[in-house]
């Protein structure tokens, strides 16, 4: 048995487990968005004022949009439902967070830099491209309505 054939068999076996990291990405992201969404909804007016202090356009509306997007992300990512759709507004939220809040602090998460929102953006982009995986409501619906 050659090294190449062993590698090919191992790669084929690993391909069968492809859904596991996609599931874990979804669950980690849902957990990561839970606390920020809860915090925003606990005092949405203060979030609107904070957004206003950073000169966001329509700060109260922006606060509601960000909080709703994050809360929807928690539910939809957990279920693996409308996964590719919810990643789009979540990626926008992460880009706004990177450039409006974290960019001046540099890269390091320890300095409140853009490291964590960048990681979230990259994980969301991965789900946007690859989909939620086979352990998801999206996949169950796809199989049910395959025709």
């Amino acid at each position: 048995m050659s090294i190449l054939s062993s590698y090919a068999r191992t790669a084929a076996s690993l391909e069968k487990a492809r859904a596991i990291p996609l599931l874990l990405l979804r669950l980690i992201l849902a957990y990561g968005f839970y606390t920020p969404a809860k915090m925003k909804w606990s005092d949405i007016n203060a979030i609107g004022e904070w957004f206003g202090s950073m000169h966001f356009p329509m700060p109260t509306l922006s606060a509601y949009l960000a909080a709703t997007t994050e809360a929807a992300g928690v539910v939809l990512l957990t279920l693996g439902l409308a996964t590719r759709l919810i990643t789009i507004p979540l990626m926008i939220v992460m880009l706004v967070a990177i450039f409006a809040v974290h960019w001046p602090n540099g890269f390091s998460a320890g300095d409140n830099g853009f490291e964590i929102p960048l990681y979230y953006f990259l994980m969301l982009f991965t789900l946007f491209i690859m989909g939620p995986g086979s352990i998801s409501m999206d996949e169950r619906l796809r199989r049910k309505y395959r025709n």
Side-chain angles (χ1 to χ4, degrees):
M1 173 173 6
S2 74
I3 292 174
L4 289 177
S5 63
S6 293
Y7 176 81
R9 271 200 332 278
T10 302
S13 295
L14 289 173
E15 186 67 28
K16 295 174 186 170
R18 180 179 187 199
I20 295 169
L22 295 172
L23 170 66
L24 294 175
L25 276 179
R26 290 191 350 254
L27 295 177
I28 292 289
L29 284 164
Y31 179 78
F33 283 114
Y34 176 76
T35 301
K38 186 177 168 186
M39 183 267 309
K40 283 179 181 72
W41 280 112
S42 71
D43 195 354
I44 197 75
N45 293 324
I47 299 301
E49 290 172 13
W50 179 52
F51 282 8
S53 74
M54 292 187 294
H55 308 292
F56 278 36
M58 299 178 286
T60 303
L61 177 61
S62 296
Y64 276 99
L65 287 172
T68 301
T69 299
E70 290 175 352
V74 171
V75 173
L76 295 174
L77 289 170
T78 299
L79 296 173
L81 181 62
T83 305
R84 284 187 164 115
L85 290 176
I86 193 61
T87 62
I88 296 167
L90 286 170
M91 284 189 288
I92 292 168
V93 168
M94 289 300 93
L95 289 173
V96 170
I98 288 168
F99 292 110
V101 178
H102 299 282
W103 191 265
N105 302 321
F107 179 75
S108 177
D111 295 327
N112 197 30
F114 61 89
E115 181 176 8
I116 301 301
L118 176 63
Y119 294 159
Y120 279 28
F121 177 86
L122 293 172
M123 289 188 283
L124 290 163
F125 184 67
T126 299
L127 290 173
F128 177 72
I129 298 297
M130 298 190 74
S134 60
I135 307 169
S136 67
M137 293 299 298
D138 285 342
E139 180 62 19
R140 293 192 88 182
L141 291 170
R142 187 188 70 77
R143 287 181 186 171
K144 184 175 181 177
Y145 298 106
R146 188 177 297 200
N147 308 2

